[in-house]
Amino acid sequence: MRIIDKHFNAVYIIEPIIHQDNRGNFIERYNPKLKTLLEVKSLDFCLEYVSTSNLGVIRGLHYQVNVEQAKLISVLSGKVFDVFVDLRKGSRTFGKYKGIELDAASKKMIWIPPGFAHGFLSLSDDTIMLYSCTGNYSPENEKCIRWDDKSIAIKWPTKSKLIISEKDMHGDQLKNAVLF
């Protein structure tokens, strides 16, 4: 695997090695060398989640405080517009976002460390995403920033009807959010 892009000096886009033949393909999604590539001290995944979303679903912008949690994210089926927002108070890119397309065809992955909110828009029906997470899930430390916060001004690429959970509709504005 190799790093193909880096954003905000912390978020990495990773291209796995794909072994392809007439049977299909085989992908190495993780090996211990990833820790060195990501320039992190430790890389202990303790949780994995699978998320299935229909066309037009927006999830996020989610993050956790007090209990650090990083995420290695890939799309197993379908396509998303994946977004991360810098919430590190002293960062020169604080409050800025970056959006990239991830899809099952390219098999690219994204590493999002603590200090960033994450969300996505499903660009296809039956999108399936896999999250490998460091740090335990902590409901009392889970936070959400509204997907449509005007100060962040995310340009979501959609013409379809949006589907957003009640929880995500009532997320905080960035100016009122708990930060890192």
Side-chain angles (χ1 to χ4, degrees):
M1 61 185 67
R2 67 186 184 103
I3 304 296
I4 59 171
D5 212 348
K6 185 176 182 180
H7 302 281
F8 304 141
N9 205 30
V11 178
Y12 293 87
I13 310 304
I14 304 160
E15 184 176 67
I17 296 170
I18 303 169
H19 303 279
Q20 184 89 31
D21 64 22
N22 64 343
R23 300 169 294 166
N25 64 56
F26 181 81
I27 300 162
E28 180 179 272
R29 189 171 180 279
Y30 170 79
N31 79 40
K33 294 177 191 171
L34 185 59
K35 180 173 92 170
T36 304
L37 285 174
L38 297 175
E39 303 170 25
V40 295
K41 292 177 189 162
S42 67
L43 189 57
D44 298 320
F45 294 116
C46 61
L47 299 170
E48 282 199 332
Y49 297 106
V50 174
S51 164
T52 303
S53 300
N54 293 320
L55 176 66
V57 167
I58 289 182
R59 295 185 190 264
L61 304 160
H62 302 144
Y63 64 105
Q64 243 179 227
V65 296
N66 301 319
V67 179
E68 288 192 351
Q69 187 179 62
K71 301 171 184 171
L72 179 63
I73 300 167
S74 55
V75 176
L76 303 178
S77 176
K79 182 182 196 178
V80 300
F81 179 70
D82 201 89
V83 174
F84 46 94
V85 180
D86 190 346
L87 299 181
R88 301 169 297 168
K89 280 189 254 187
S91 171
R92 63 181 176 78
T93 54
F94 171 78
K96 304 281 187 226
Y97 85 94
K98 178 72 179 166
I100 63 163
E101 281 191 7
L102 293 177
D103 59 51
S106 74
K107 305 193 181 358
K108 291 177 191 164
M109 301 178 286
I110 186 169
W111 167 257
I112 302 177
F116 291 83
H118 172 257
F120 68 88
L121 164 66
S122 178
L123 299 174
S124 60
D125 271 324
D126 298 322
T127 295
I128 302 172
M129 296 178 70
L130 174 63
Y131 296 74
S132 296
C133 301
T134 66
N136 287 311
Y137 172 63
S138 176
E140 62 275 7
N141 290 297
E142 182 182 33
K143 304 295 178 195
C144 178
I145 294 176
R146 280 187 59 97
W147 62 278
D148 61 350
D149 184 295
K150 289 182 182 9
S151 69
I152 301 170
I154 298 170
K155 292 179 177 75
W156 297 99
T158 185
K159 293 182 178 141
S160 59
K161 181 182 177 212
L162 297 178
I163 304 166
I164 303 163
S165 74
E166 236 359 83
K167 174 180 132 185
D168 290 352
M169 286 297 288
H170 297 292
D172 292 325
Q173 296 294 324
L174 179 60
K175 65 183 179 185
N176 301 324
V178 177
L179 302 172
F180 293 88

